[in-house]
Amino acid sequence: MTKYLQSRSTHIIVKCILGIIILSLILSTMSGYINKDSEKYIATVNNEKINFNVFKKMYFVEREKQKKILGKHFLKFSHDKTFIKETYNYVLSQLINNVLLEQYAKKMQLQVNDLSIKEIILNSPVFQKNNKFNKEQYFNYLTSINLTNHEYINIIKKKINTRNLIHTIASSNFILENETKNIIKLLSQKRVIKKSIIKPHSIIYKQNITDLEAKNYFYKNRSNFYIPEKFKISFTELKLDNFKTNCNNQEIHEWYLKNIGQYSTKEKRRYSIIQTKTKNEALSILSRLHNMPEDFSRIAKEQSTDPISSKKGGDIGLISIDLLPNEIKNANLNQKNQISNIISFRNEFLIIKLDEILLAKQKKIEEVSEIIKNEIKNKKSLDLYNKLKDEISHNIKKNPDQIKLILEKNHISTQETDWFDKSSVPEILNIPALKKIIFNEELSRKHKIIKPNLYFISLKNNQSFLIKIVDFRKKETQTFENVKKNIIKKLKFIKAIKETKQLSEKIIYELKQGKMNLFKKSNLYFSHSEIISRYDQNSITSIVFSLPHPKKGKKTYALYQDKNKNFIIISLEKVYNTNFSLREKNIVSEYLEKNNTETVFNSILKDLREKSIITYENIEKNIT
């Protein structure tokens, strides 16, 4: 379950939002989303309601996705309260993101081609009869959802606007100046906190555990109290490092001549491009370039639609000859300053110029002798490794007694482990393929002493193991007296954690009310101030930055439990921003343009959420 939720949360946010938008564009599901008469809603975003029916549909779509991903495990998790809650929050969050982006796209006043809307309506199966658009069917549908033709078209426009905004940002790395400022503002934010620690360990000694409690715990969890089966193994590891080899100058020279083609730099070429939206624009530019080819860089800066290369006069950098994209290959440019004809590229058009050619250069033997030496030694070691591996494989069944002599002849030693169980496997043997042999299930069930058979397992990366199970101890059930002390210790700790949690929750409740009585009575104090940055590798960073800004004269509090089971009260004292230098701002902007579409969307949505009024209706029980 956790693995599924984590993998889902790391999906690019663009895909998640776009998936919701595209689903809501499907006309057969739109009635629940847009029906004006529906009063039941799940949330309100800036006075715009999210209809409960569309949430319910999206929720069950998400559940179907979970079924496919989790397979047979889905049934196990489908009734888990945490899992249901996570799914509920995830779908609702994406629907809110959808509405926020729709509102944002509307403010940007993006234009939608009327032909796009017409195409959606005409091609929708809902409005077709005998594979043709049926006007009567269309208007009957509008009547059923209580919308006029004009209202319906405006809804589709809103959806297309949002989809186009997402596609624009995702595909072109486009980023508005205001969004760059928002991201820089988020990255430069620092938060001042203080912490107070409440330790369960400090009250363990106060806890009383009766024999009856300890016995009840023992019998309830009896299957957990046993000495596990244990093994003793002898093993031999085979790897290339076992085979030390050398090579001489003659071998290096012969290798160089035999593989001379490998030891040269690849030819590289530098190109510039001008990208246009229409062919007519490209033809006009190409005509100007024929008269003044030296104006390529200036025209690229002024007119190219590519947001990154246009800033560099169209330059897209040096590209190795074997990595040229098909568009450039098809341009067939072979001379410096040669300009291509117009080339179609993802519904737009390119003009390409060859700026520079760096020819392939043959490396001298002195430059690559060390590389060749290592290649020869590696090949020799690999040959010896494979020869020994084949010899062991051939003899392990037919002549197992010969294996020891074969290893001695090759100066390879055997090691033996101490006793270990499944929870204490020696690191060198902690490999799934080896553990499968060692912890043989059939053997465990029968509890028989293992015959000292040899097993030879070949792994990846030229590594093999020869293992022999020397001895075996079967699983033993423990008595209450043997584990009584440990049970009492564990139960004391469980009670201490429960008591500490209750106290912590009372204290945090009082602190939020502006009261310090219980905090002081518990002899607690806040530590010195700490400054937390958004990009700190700190376990509490996400908690600190999820807290709302403290209001004037007040502080914001949070409670969490650390890995040592201590309860930590965080007091958010102050939020402020540091100043980025111009160079730092430029680095952030350039990085965002090239790599960080997800960060851009996160920033836009975080900014929109902070500026929006979002209210929720608690109707989770009505989902299932």
Side-chain angles (χ1 to χ4, degrees), residues 169 174-175 179 183 592 596-604:
I169 297 173
F174 158 78
I175 176 169
E179 307 316 335
I183 291 168
L592 290 173
N596 222 352
T597 303
E598 183 171 0
T599 304
V600 175
F601 271 95
N602 276 322
S603 173
I604 292 171

Side-chain angles (χ1 to χ4, degrees), residues 192 511-515 548-557 571-575:
V192 180
L511 288 173
K512 288 178 179 180
Q513 305 300 314
K515 300 174 185 177
H549 290 216
K551 294 179 181 177
K552 196 171 183 180
K554 292 187 176 182
K555 296 168 185 176
T556 307
Y557 298 96
S571 171
L572 177 58
E573 308 279 314
K574 183 182 175 183
V575 177

Side-chain angles (χ1 to χ4, degrees), residues 31-45:
S31 58
Y33 189 78
I34 59 184
N35 196 318
K36 295 187 294 186
D37 293 336
S38 180
E39 294 179 359
K40 200 172 185 181
Y41 60 95
I42 195 162
T44 305
V45 183

Side-chain angles (χ1 to χ4, degrees), residues 220-270:
K220 189 176 179 180
N221 300 279
R222 192 162 190 174
S223 60
N224 296 329
F225 296 107
Y226 61 86
I227 299 170
E229 59 189 12
K230 293 192 175 184
F231 299 81
K232 191 177 279 190
I233 306 292
S234 74
F235 69 93
T236 305
E237 182 187 16
L238 303 183
K239 54 184 179 179
L240 293 189
D241 289 349
N242 295 132
F243 307 94
K244 303 296 181 185
T245 57
N246 290 301
C247 68
N248 54 43
N249 289 335
Q250 179 64 29
E251 288 174 305
I252 291 171
H253 183 72
E254 288 174 359
W255 185 281
Y256 176 76
L257 292 177
K258 186 177 179 181
N259 302 282
I260 196 165
Q262 295 178 20
Y263 307 113
S264 63
T265 59
K266 300 279 186 183
E267 180 182 314
K268 291 184 178 180
R269 298 184 175 191
R270 183 182 295 279

Side-chain angles (χ1 to χ4, degrees), residues 264-271 317-322 324 333-337 354-362:
S264 63
T265 59
K266 300 279 186 183
E267 180 182 314
K268 291 184 178 180
R269 298 184 175 191
R270 183 182 295 279
Y271 293 91
L318 283 166
I319 305 174
S320 179
I321 194 76
D322 58 335
L324 289 178
L333 303 177
N334 294 305
Q335 294 179 10
K336 188 177 177 180
N337 295 323
L354 176 57
D355 295 317
E356 184 182 3
I357 300 174
L358 297 180
L359 296 173
K361 182 183 175 184
Q362 185 65 48

